Amino acid sequence: MATNARGYPEISFVDTDTETLVNALIQSYEMFTGRKLYPADPARLFILWIADIIIQERVNIDFSAKQNLPRYAEGEYLDSVAEIFKDAYRLEPEKAQTTLRFTLSIAREVPTAIPAGTRATVDGDIIFATLEKLTIPAGSMNGDVAAECQTAGEIGNGFIPGQINQLIDIFPYFGSVENTTESAGGADEESDTAFYERMRESVETFSTAGPLGAYEYYAKSASALIVDVKAASPSPGVVDVRVLLQNGELPGEEILNTVADKLTADTVRPLTDQVTVSAPEAIEYDIDFTYYTQEGGALSAEAVAANVQAAAEQFKKWQASKMGRDINPSYLISLLMQAGAKRVDIRSPVYTPVAENAVAQIVNTAIVPGGAESE
């Protein structure tokens, strides 16, 4: 039996097969009228028109019925069926955060107050505003304060220290401003697939004994950027939580702090648990191989080269999208063969086991075309 992308058997509430319906209508017409319908008969063309309308209605009915099942539901329908799960709500877009350091032009004999909402920018388009009032003590030259991007989504992520350095709201004795941490934590609205998986995991939270599955659920609820979480208990009362972001990216300080705040809330963490949140261990590997094409093959050398490059990128994404996924050159070979290579000589990677709290991270990529070979 066929299954859908969420792992359950495919079902239909009504038959939407056009040919079956048309045959049934024609047979009924011929039975009641006693005359044969030929392909060009106007009555047959009318029946085909009626069948098209009926099929469209059946498709709509089938779609509507499926939206009542979480595994088929999409968009606002999925939001609605989430009410049958415990405290499951789609994650809204989030704003990236960072820490801004303001430096005065001179040390003053009195404290200097920088109001909340003071704005700094990267390029005039991406703007960060301070979240609270900053007071630089008398005699000090600088002070740090948390700031948030004014635009929700991933657009505010990835600005390394020093890039957010243009002040919009100038104040007396201003010297300079710059971010001291890489901006992170911005996320687009949670996708249907991620929301569905998290809804299913919400049942883990019914226990009050602190199951590892509950920690993983709450960690994923901290940000839509998080694609994988592994919780482990290396010793009694100690919980080690590892977090992986989209596209295999390792989380920075801002995301880790967000997850830690979520997991240490009084309504989440059992009283005796000591929770640590960190990035997974990075197991580095290289891709280095030579591929050969089929002489006189159906694909040109240029087409195979493009396919091979795409296959290597697909392997990198697959390898980095889940913690505990062993570095598997066999899968790389299968992708390259599907891409049109006649054979491949893999020098790296070699099979490497990856621990549950670790993730494979690509370092160098070398793809060498070996030319065409006869069969």
Side-chain angles (χ1 to χ4, degrees):
M1 180 180 290
T3 60
N4 61 22
R6 294 174 180 172
Y8 290 90
E10 291 283 2
I11 62 171
S12 294
F13 290 90
V14 292
D15 186 4
T16 58
D17 183 70
T18 302
E19 184 177 355
T20 300
L21 176 62
V22 169
N23 291 338
L25 291 174
I26 291 175
Q27 291 171 8
S28 296
Y29 180 89
E30 292 179 341
M31 181 180 67
F32 284 111
T33 63
R35 75 183 186 89
K36 188 82 169 175
L37 282 180
Y38 292 95
D41 192 308
R44 185 187 184 104
L45 297 178
F46 179 76
I47 287 175
L48 292 176
W49 176 69
I50 293 296
D52 183 61
I53 295 176
I54 294 174
I55 286 298
Q56 290 183 43
E57 289 301 314
R58 287 187 175 185
V59 168
N60 289 336
I61 292 170
D62 190 54
F63 174 80
S64 299
K66 285 181 176 179
Q67 295 309 296
N68 293 286
L69 299 178
R71 70 176 183 262
Y72 288 108
E74 304 171 356
E76 61 185 9
Y77 299 104
L78 184 60
D79 294 340
S80 295
V81 298
E83 69 179 77
I84 65 177
F85 295 90
K86 181 177 183 289
D87 297 330
Y89 302 95
R90 187 188 298 270
L91 299 179
E92 298 293 331
E94 300 171 18
K95 297 178 179 180
Q97 294 192 353
T98 188
T99 299
L100 293 181
R101 174 167 295 167
F102 290 89
T103 301
L104 302 178
S105 57
I106 59 171
R108 303 186 64 205
E109 297 180 355
V110 295
T112 301
I114 302 173
T118 299
R119 298 170 298 169
T121 182
V122 179
D123 53 9
D125 293 325
I126 308 301
I127 298 172
F128 286 77
T130 59
L131 295 175
E132 57 188 21
K133 176 182 177 181
L134 171 65
T135 300
I136 300 177
S140 296
M141 290 288 291
N142 55 54
D144 296 347
V145 63
E148 184 177 72
C149 185
Q150 299 298 282
T151 305
E154 298 182 33
I155 190 171
N157 293 340
F159 294 108
I160 63 174
Q163 284 191 307
I164 308 171
N165 55 17
Q166 301 177 42
L167 189 68
I168 296 177
D169 303 310
I170 302 295
F171 56 87
Y173 304 102
F174 167 71
S176 64
V177 62
E178 64 177 9
N179 57 312
T180 60
T181 61
E182 182 176 345
S183 61
D188 298 325
E189 184 179 68
E190 188 174 24
S191 67
D192 284 348
T193 299
F195 184 32
Y196 171 78
E197 294 299 331
R198 200 168 53 80
M199 280 185 353
R200 299 281 300 172
E201 294 170 354
S202 68
V203 296
E204 295 281 359
T205 66
F206 281 102
S207 172
T208 58
L212 296 181
Y215 279 113
E216 293 177 357
Y217 166 78
Y218 282 117
K220 287 183 180 179
S221 300
S223 173
L225 290 175
I226 298 172
V227 296
D228 195 22
V229 175
K230 285 292 187 298
S233 181
S235 60
V238 176
V239 180
D240 176 44
V241 178
R242 303 299 177 107
V243 177
L244 182 66
L245 305 185
Q246 294 174 4
N247 302 317
E249 182 181 348
L250 300 182
E253 180 182 342
E254 302 291 343
I255 284 286
L256 294 177
N257 289 340
T258 300
V259 175
D261 290 343
K262 186 81 171 180
L263 298 186
T264 55
D266 291 340
T267 56
V268 174
R269 179 181 61 87
L271 185 62
T272 56
D273 279 2
Q274 177 185 342
V275 181
T276 61
V277 181
S278 56
E281 299 294 331
I283 307 301
E284 296 182 343
Y285 73 98
D286 296 331
I287 289 180
D288 181 13
F289 64 84
T290 300
Y291 71 93
Y292 301 86
T293 58
Q294 173 69 52
E295 190 175 81
L299 296 176
S300 66
E302 292 77 12
V304 174
N307 290 347
V308 165
Q309 182 67 45
E313 293 303 317
Q314 182 180 347
F315 176 79
K316 295 177 190 177
K317 184 176 180 180
W318 172 83
Q319 193 69 78
S321 63
K322 183 178 176 61
M323 282 183 277
R325 177 168 282 166
D326 296 342
I327 300 174
N328 188 355
S330 298
Y331 183 58
L332 175 59
I333 293 173
S334 70
L335 291 176
L336 295 174
M337 297 300 287
Q338 294 174 36
K342 173 181 177 287
R343 71 180 179 93
V344 292
D345 179 16
I346 302 288
R347 290 176 289 276
S348 183
V350 297
Y351 175 77
T352 306
V354 176
E356 286 296 310
N357 64 350
V359 65
Q361 295 279 291
I362 184 67
V363 179
N364 300 306
T365 303
I367 301 176
V368 181
E373 295 182 336
S374 61
E375 187 172 355

